[in-house]
Structures are given as C-alpha cells and as structure tokens.
Amino acid sequence: MPTSRAAPIFEWGFQVATSTVQADAKFLRRIFLGLVFLTLVTGGLAGLTTVQAMTGSAASCASSCE
C-alpha cells in the first residue's frame, strides 16, 4: 500500500544552494569578462605606446642628430 511521504526538510535548502551556485557562477562570469576586457585594453595601450615610441622623436633623431 503506497503512502505519501512529506518532502524532505532539506529540500528548500537545495533550492537556496542552487540559487547561490547560480549567483556565484554569474559573479565569476562577470569577473572573468572584466579581466578579459581589461587585458584587451592594456594590450591595446601597450601596442599604441610601442608604436608611438617607434615613430616618435627617437626615430626622427636617427637622421638629423649629430
């Protein structure tokens, strides 16, 4: 004879844990994307600085310096 059992007491806790895991994943995804964006920006700035250094006064001085 089947009996209906009540839901376990910890069932609600699993729902909270699941939403916490989803919130953690969302937070870490934002951190990861932020780091990727900052890496791209700093790489671009490093490239720009390198190009400016190569075409700046040091490069023109090679032909007109003493």
Side-chain angles (χ1 to χ4, degrees):
M1 177 170 179
T3 59
S4 63
R5 288 193 248 167
I9 295 172
F10 53 83
E11 183 176 338
W12 185 77
F14 283 141
Q15 291 174 354
V16 171
T18 302
S19 65
T20 302
V21 169
Q22 290 173 350
D24 288 346
K26 192 176 194 180
F27 173 74
L28 291 174
R29 189 177 306 119
R30 287 181 181 174
I31 294 295
F32 174 72
L33 290 176
L35 289 173
V36 168
F37 176 73
L38 287 175
T39 301
L40 291 174
V41 169
T42 55
L45 288 175
L48 179 66
T49 304
T50 302
V51 168
Q52 286 180 347
M54 294 181 126
T55 59
S57 62
S60 64
C61 184
S63 61
S64 63
C65 289
E66 299 175 21

